[in-house]
Coordinates of all heavy atoms in Angstrom, one line a residue:
M1 N 0.3 105.8 93.1 CA 0.8 104.5 93.5 C 0.2 104.2 94.9 O -0.1 103.1 95.2 CB 2.3 104.5 93.6 CG 2.9 103.2 94.0 SD 4.7 103.2 93.9 CE 5.0 103.2 95.6
M2 N 0.1 105.2 95.8 CA -0.3 104.9 97.1 C -1.8 104.8 97.3 O -2.3 104.4 98.3 CB 0.1 106.1 98.1 CG 1.6 106.2 98.2 SD 2.4 104.9 99.2 CE 2.0 105.4 100.8
G3 N -2.6 105.1 96.3 CA -4.0 105.0 96.3 C -4.6 106.0 97.2 O -4.0 107.1 97.5
Q4 N -5.8 105.8 97.7 CA -6.6 106.8 98.4 C -6.2 106.9 99.9 O -6.3 107.9 100.6 CB -8.1 106.6 98.3 CG -8.6 106.7 96.9 CD -8.4 108.1 96.4 OE1 -8.6 109.1 97.1 NE2 -7.9 108.2 95.2
Q5 N -5.7 105.7 100.5 CA -5.5 105.7 101.9 C -4.1 106.4 102.2 O -3.2 106.2 101.5 CB -5.4 104.2 102.3 CG -5.2 104.0 103.8 CD -5.2 102.5 104.1 OE1 -5.3 101.7 103.3 NE2 -5.1 102.2 105.4
S6 N -4.1 107.1 103.3 CA -2.9 107.9 103.7 C -2.2 107.0 104.7 O -1.6 106.0 104.5 CB -3.3 109.3 104.2 OG -2.1 110.0 104.5
N7 N -2.3 107.5 106.0 CA -1.7 106.7 107.1 C -2.3 105.3 107.2 O -3.5 105.2 107.0 CB -1.8 107.5 108.4 CG -1.1 108.8 108.4 OD1 -0.2 109.0 107.6 ND2 -1.6 109.8 109.2
G8 N -1.5 104.4 107.4 CA -2.0 103.0 107.5 C -2.0 102.3 106.2 O -2.4 101.2 106.0
N9 N -1.4 103.0 105.1 CA -1.3 102.4 103.8 C -0.4 101.2 103.9 O 0.5 101.1 104.6 CB -0.8 103.4 102.9 CG -0.8 103.0 101.4 OD1 -0.1 102.1 101.0 ND2 -1.7 103.6 100.7
P10 N -0.7 100.1 103.1 CA 0.2 98.9 103.1 C 1.7 99.2 102.7 O 2.5 98.5 103.1 CB -0.4 98.0 102.0 CG -1.7 98.6 101.5 CD -1.8 100.0 102.1
F11 N 1.9 100.3 102.1 CA 3.3 100.7 101.8 C 4.0 101.3 103.0 O 5.3 101.3 103.1 CB 3.4 101.7 100.6 CG 3.0 101.0 99.3 CD1 1.9 101.5 98.6 CD2 3.8 100.0 98.8 CE1 1.6 101.0 97.4 CE2 3.4 99.4 97.6 CZ 2.3 99.9 96.9
C12 N 3.3 101.8 104.0 CA 3.9 102.4 105.2 C 4.7 101.4 105.9 O 4.3 100.2 106.1 CB 2.8 103.0 106.1 SG 2.0 104.5 105.4
G13 N 5.8 101.8 106.4 CA 6.7 100.9 107.1 C 7.8 100.2 106.2 O 8.7 99.7 106.8
R14 N 7.5 100.2 104.9 CA 8.5 99.6 104.0 C 9.7 100.6 103.9 O 9.5 101.8 104.0 CB 7.9 99.4 102.7 CG 6.9 98.2 102.7 CD 6.4 97.9 101.4 NE 7.4 97.3 100.5 CZ 7.2 96.9 99.3 NH1 6.1 97.1 98.7 NH2 8.2 96.3 98.6
K15 N 10.9 100.1 103.6 CA 12.1 100.9 103.4 C 12.3 101.0 102.0 O 12.0 100.1 101.2 CB 13.3 100.2 104.1 CG 13.2 100.3 105.6 CD 14.5 100.0 106.3 CE 14.4 100.0 107.8 NZ 14.1 101.2 108.4
A16 N 12.9 102.2 101.6 CA 13.2 102.5 100.2 C 14.7 103.0 100.2 O 15.1 103.8 101.1 CB 12.3 103.5 99.6
E17 N 15.4 102.7 99.1 CA 16.7 103.3 98.8 C 16.4 104.4 97.8 O 15.8 104.2 96.8 CB 17.6 102.3 98.3 CG 19.0 102.9 98.0 CD 20.0 101.9 97.5 OE1 19.9 101.6 96.2 OE2 20.8 101.4 98.3
I18 N 16.9 105.6 98.1 CA 16.7 106.8 97.3 C 18.1 107.2 96.8 O 19.0 107.3 97.6 CB 16.0 107.9 98.0 CG1 14.7 107.5 98.6 CG2 15.8 109.1 97.1 CD1 14.7 107.2 100.1
S19 N 18.2 107.4 95.5 CA 19.5 107.9 94.9 C 19.4 109.1 94.1 O 18.4 109.3 93.4 CB 20.2 106.7 94.2 OG 19.4 106.3 93.1
L20 N 20.4 110.0 94.2 CA 20.4 111.2 93.4 C 21.9 111.6 93.2 O 22.6 111.7 94.2 CB 19.7 112.3 94.2 CG 19.7 113.7 93.6 CD1 19.0 113.8 92.3 CD2 19.2 114.8 94.5
R21 N 22.3 111.8 92.0 CA 23.6 112.3 91.7 C 24.7 111.5 92.4 O 25.7 112.1 92.9 CB 23.7 113.7 92.0 CG 22.7 114.6 91.3 CD 22.9 116.1 91.7 NE 21.7 116.8 91.4 CZ 21.1 117.7 92.2 NH1 21.6 118.0 93.3 NH2 20.0 118.3 91.8
G22 N 24.6 110.2 92.4 CA 25.6 109.3 93.0 C 25.5 109.2 94.5 O 26.3 108.4 95.1
K23 N 24.6 109.9 95.2 CA 24.4 109.7 96.6 C 23.2 108.8 96.8 O 22.3 108.8 96.0 CB 24.1 111.1 97.3 CG 25.3 112.0 97.2 CD 24.9 113.3 97.9 CE 26.1 114.3 97.9 NZ 25.7 115.6 98.6
K24 N 23.3 108.0 97.9 CA 22.2 107.1 98.3 C 21.8 107.3 99.7 O 22.7 107.6 100.5 CB 22.6 105.7 98.0 CG 22.8 105.3 96.6 CD 23.1 103.9 96.4 CE 23.3 103.6 94.9 NZ 23.5 102.2 94.6
A25 N 20.6 107.1 100.0 CA 20.1 107.2 101.4 C 18.9 106.2 101.5 O 18.3 105.8 100.5 CB 19.6 108.6 101.7
I26 N 18.7 105.7 102.7 CA 17.6 104.8 103.0 C 16.6 105.4 103.9 O 17.0 106.1 104.9 CB 18.1 103.5 103.6 CG1 19.0 102.8 102.5 CG2 17.0 102.6 104.0 CD1 19.7 101.5 103.0
G27 N 15.3 105.3 103.6 CA 14.3 105.9 104.4 C 13.1 104.9 104.6 O 13.0 104.0 103.8
T28 N 12.3 105.2 105.5 CA 11.1 104.4 105.8 C 9.8 105.2 105.4 O 9.7 106.4 105.8 CB 11.0 104.1 107.3 OG1 12.2 103.4 107.7 CG2 9.8 103.2 107.5
L29 N 9.0 104.6 104.6 CA 7.7 105.3 104.2 C 6.8 105.3 105.4 O 6.6 104.3 106.0 CB 7.1 104.5 103.0 CG 7.7 104.8 101.6 CD1 9.0 104.2 101.5 CD2 6.7 104.3 100.6
V30 N 6.3 106.5 105.6 CA 5.4 106.7 106.8 C 4.0 107.2 106.4 O 3.1 107.0 107.2 CB 6.0 107.6 107.9 CG1 7.3 107.0 108.4 CG2 6.3 109.0 107.3
D31 N 3.8 107.9 105.3 CA 2.5 108.3 104.9 C 2.5 108.7 103.5 O 3.5 108.6 102.8 CB 2.0 109.5 105.8 CG 2.9 110.7 105.7 OD1 3.8 110.8 104.8 OD2 2.8 111.7 106.4
K32 N 1.3 109.0 103.0 CA 1.1 109.4 101.6 C 1.5 110.9 101.4 O 1.3 111.7 102.3 CB -0.4 109.2 101.2 CG -0.7 109.5 99.8 CD -2.2 109.3 99.6 CE -2.5 109.7 98.1 NZ -3.9 109.4 97.8
C33 N 2.0 111.2 100.2 CA 2.3 112.6 99.9 C 1.3 113.1 99.0 O 1.2 112.8 97.8 CB 3.7 112.6 99.2 SG 4.1 114.2 98.5
P34 N 0.4 113.9 99.5 CA -0.8 114.4 98.7 C -0.3 115.2 97.5 O -1.0 115.2 96.4 CB -1.6 115.3 99.6 CG -1.1 115.0 101.0 CD 0.3 114.4 100.9
G35 N 0.8 115.9 97.5 CA 1.3 116.7 96.4 C 2.2 116.0 95.4 O 2.6 116.5 94.4
C36 N 2.4 114.7 95.7 CA 3.3 113.9 94.8 C 2.4 113.2 93.7 O 1.3 112.8 94.0 CB 4.0 112.8 95.6 SG 5.2 113.5 96.8
S37 N 3.1 113.0 92.6 CA 2.4 112.2 91.5 C 3.3 111.1 91.0 O 4.5 111.2 91.1 CB 2.0 113.2 90.4 OG 3.2 113.8 89.8
G38 N 2.6 110.1 90.4 CA 3.4 109.0 89.8 C 4.4 108.4 90.8 O 4.0 108.0 91.8
Q39 N 5.6 108.4 90.4 CA 6.7 107.7 91.2 C 7.4 108.7 92.1 O 8.5 108.4 92.5 CB 7.6 107.0 90.3 CG 7.0 105.8 89.5 CD 6.6 104.7 90.5 OE1 7.3 104.3 91.4 NE2 5.4 104.2 90.3
S40 N 6.9 109.9 92.3 CA 7.5 110.9 93.1 C 7.5 110.4 94.6 O 6.7 109.6 95.0 CB 6.7 112.2 93.1 OG 6.8 112.8 91.8
I41 N 8.4 110.9 95.3 CA 8.6 110.5 96.8 C 8.9 111.8 97.6 O 9.6 112.7 97.1 CB 9.6 109.5 96.9 CG1 9.6 108.9 98.3 CG2 11.0 110.0 96.5 CD1 10.4 107.6 98.5
D42 N 8.2 111.9 98.7 CA 8.4 113.1 99.6 C 9.3 112.6 100.7 O 9.1 111.6 101.3 CB 7.0 113.5 100.2 CG 7.1 114.7 101.0 OD1 8.0 115.6 100.8 OD2 6.2 114.9 101.8
L43 N 10.4 113.4 101.0 CA 11.4 113.1 101.9 C 11.3 113.9 103.2 O 11.0 115.1 103.1 CB 12.8 113.2 101.3 CG 13.1 112.4 100.1 CD1 14.5 112.7 99.6 CD2 12.9 111.0 100.2
S44 N 11.7 113.4 104.3 CA 11.9 114.2 105.5 C 13.0 115.2 105.2 O 13.9 114.9 104.4 CB 12.2 113.4 106.7 OG 13.5 112.8 106.6
N45 N 13.1 116.3 106.0 CA 14.2 117.2 105.8 C 15.5 116.5 106.0 O 16.5 116.8 105.3 CB 14.0 118.4 106.8 CG 12.9 119.3 106.4 OD1 12.3 119.1 105.4 ND2 12.6 120.2 107.3
A46 N 15.6 115.7 107.1 CA 16.9 115.0 107.4 C 17.3 114.1 106.2 O 18.5 114.1 105.8 CB 16.7 114.2 108.6
L47 N 16.4 113.4 105.6 CA 16.8 112.5 104.5 C 17.1 113.3 103.3 O 18.1 113.0 102.6 CB 15.6 111.5 104.2 CG 15.9 110.4 103.3 CD1 17.1 109.5 103.7 CD2 14.7 109.5 103.1
F48 N 16.4 114.4 103.0 CA 16.7 115.2 101.9 C 18.1 115.8 102.0 O 18.8 115.8 101.1 CB 15.6 116.4 101.9 CG 15.6 117.2 100.6 CD1 14.7 117.0 99.6 CD2 16.6 118.1 100.3 CE1 14.7 117.7 98.4 CE2 16.7 118.9 99.2 CZ 15.7 118.7 98.2
D49 N 18.4 116.2 103.2 CA 19.8 116.8 103.5 C 20.9 115.8 103.2 O 22.0 116.2 102.9 CB 19.9 117.2 105.0 CG 19.0 118.5 105.3 OD1 18.6 119.2 104.3 OD2 18.8 118.7 106.4
E50 N 20.6 114.5 103.3 CA 21.6 113.5 102.9 C 21.9 113.5 101.4 O 23.0 113.1 101.0 CB 21.2 112.1 103.3 CG 21.2 111.9 104.9 CD 20.9 110.5 105.2 OE1 21.4 109.5 104.6 OE2 20.1 110.3 106.2
L51 N 21.0 114.0 100.6 CA 21.1 113.9 99.2 C 21.3 115.2 98.5 O 21.9 115.2 97.4 CB 19.8 113.2 98.6 CG 19.5 111.8 99.1 CD1 18.0 111.4 98.7 CD2 20.5 110.8 98.5
A52 N 20.8 116.3 99.0 CA 20.9 117.6 98.4 C 20.7 118.7 99.4 O 20.3 118.5 100.5 CB 19.8 117.7 97.3
D53 N 20.9 119.9 98.9 CA 20.7 121.1 99.8 C 19.2 121.5 99.7 O 18.6 121.5 98.6 CB 21.6 122.2 99.2 CG 21.5 123.5 100.1 OD1 20.4 123.9 100.5 OD2 22.6 124.0 100.4
E54 N 18.6 121.7 100.8 CA 17.2 122.1 100.8 C 16.8 123.3 99.9 O 15.7 123.4 99.5 CB 16.6 122.3 102.2 CG 16.6 121.0 103.0 CD 16.0 121.2 104.4 OE1 15.1 122.0 104.6 OE2 16.6 120.6 105.3
A55 N 17.8 124.2 99.7 CA 17.6 125.4 98.9 C 17.2 125.0 97.5 O 16.6 125.8 96.8 CB 18.8 126.2 98.9
E56 N 17.5 123.8 97.0 CA 17.2 123.3 95.7 C 15.7 123.1 95.5 O 15.2 123.1 94.4 CB 17.9 122.0 95.3 CG 19.4 122.2 95.2 CD 20.1 121.0 94.7 OE1 19.8 120.5 93.6 OE2 21.0 120.4 95.4
G57 N 15.0 122.9 96.6 CA 13.6 122.7 96.5 C 13.2 121.4 95.9 O 13.9 120.4 96.1
R58 N 12.2 121.3 95.1 CA 11.7 120.1 94.5 C 12.7 119.7 93.4 O 13.1 120.5 92.6 CB 10.3 120.3 93.9 CG 9.6 119.0 93.6 CD 8.2 119.3 93.1 NE 7.3 119.7 94.2 CZ 6.3 119.0 94.6 NH1 5.9 118.0 93.9 NH2 5.5 119.4 95.6
I59 N 13.1 118.4 93.5 CA 14.2 117.9 92.6 C 13.7 116.8 91.7 O 12.9 115.9 92.1 CB 15.4 117.3 93.5 CG1 16.0 118.4 94.3 CG2 16.4 116.7 92.6 CD1 17.1 118.0 95.2
S60 N 14.1 116.8 90.4 CA 13.8 115.8 89.4 C 14.9 114.8 89.4 O 16.0 115.0 89.9 CB 13.6 116.5 88.1 OG 12.6 117.5 88.1
N61 N 14.6 113.7 88.6 CA 15.6 112.6 88.4 C 16.0 111.9 89.6 O 17.1 111.4 89.6 CB 16.8 113.2 87.6 CG 16.4 113.8 86.3 OD1 15.5 113.3 85.6 ND2 16.9 115.0 86.0
V62 N 15.2 111.9 90.6 CA 15.5 111.1 91.8 C 15.0 109.6 91.5 O 14.0 109.4 91.0 CB 14.8 111.6 93.1 CG1 14.9 110.7 94.2 CG2 15.2 113.0 93.4
K63 N 15.8 108.7 91.8 CA 15.5 107.3 91.6 C 15.3 106.6 93.0 O 16.0 106.9 93.9 CB 16.5 106.5 90.8 CG 16.7 107.1 89.4 CD 17.6 106.2 88.6 CE 18.0 106.8 87.3 NZ 17.0 107.3 86.5
W64 N 14.3 105.7 93.1 CA 14.1 105.0 94.3 C 13.4 103.7 94.1 O 12.8 103.5 93.1 CB 13.3 105.9 95.3 CG 11.9 106.1 94.9 CD1 11.3 107.1 94.1 CD2 10.7 105.3 95.4 NE1 10.0 107.0 94.0 CE2 9.6 105.9 94.8 CE3 10.6 104.2 96.2 CZ2 8.3 105.4 95.0 CZ3 9.3 103.7 96.4 CH2 8.2 104.3 95.8
H65 N 13.6 102.8 95.0 CA 13.0 101.5 95.0 C 12.9 100.9 96.4 O 13.6 101.3 97.3 CB 13.8 100.5 94.1 CG 15.2 100.2 94.5 ND1 16.2 101.0 94.3 CD2 15.6 99.2 95.4 CE1 17.3 100.5 94.8 NE2 17.0 99.4 95.5
F66 N 11.9 100.0 96.5 CA 11.7 99.4 97.8 C 12.8 98.4 98.1 O 13.3 97.7 97.2 CB 10.4 98.6 97.9 CG 9.2 99.5 97.9 CD1 8.3 99.4 96.8 CD2 8.9 100.3 98.9 CE1 7.1 100.2 96.8 CE2 7.8 101.1 98.9 CZ 6.9 101.1 97.9
I67 N 13.3 98.3 99.3 CA 14.3 97.3 99.7 C 13.7 96.4 100.7 O 14.4 95.4 101.0 CB 15.6 98.0 100.2 CG1 15.4 98.9 101.4 CG2 16.3 98.7 99.1 CD1 16.7 99.4 102.0
T68 N 12.6 96.7 101.3 CA 11.9 95.7 102.2 C 10.4 95.8 101.8 O 9.9 96.7 101.2 CB 12.0 96.0 103.6 OG1 11.5 97.3 103.9 CG2 13.4 95.9 104.1

């Protein structure tokens, strides 16, 4: 989705609402995630902590959408 460009990508600066297991958090996209595929999203540790325990590692079934 992010294409080849990393920092400075047109998606950078947009806000997204991320939801997992009834919890929701809002974050700002800042760069491309080289290890992500498809609709995956890479979260900062602080944002991840709002949704799950970091010990869970990579998590499936996360839903997200742009809000700006």
Side-chain angles (χ1 to χ4, degrees):
M1 182 176 108
M2 294 290 282
Q4 295 300 313
Q5 187 177 359
S6 183
N7 297 335
N9 189 288
F11 292 117
C12 290
R14 291 185 69 183
K15 291 194 181 296
E17 181 181 81
I18 304 105
S19 57
L20 174 69
R21 302 178 199 138
K23 294 182 180 179
K24 293 183 180 183
I26 294 175
T28 303
L29 279 70
V30 295
D31 61 11
K32 181 178 177 179
C33 171
C36 295
S37 62
Q39 294 294 315
S40 295
I41 190 167
D42 186 24
L43 305 178
S44 67
N45 290 353
L47 191 56
F48 193 103
D49 290 342
E50 290 186 42
L51 300 168
D53 187 310
E54 289 182 41
E56 292 186 60
R58 199 173 282 242
I59 297 177
S60 303
N61 301 318
V62 174
K63 298 191 186 314
W64 68 274
H65 63 275
F66 291 116
I67 57 173
T68 63

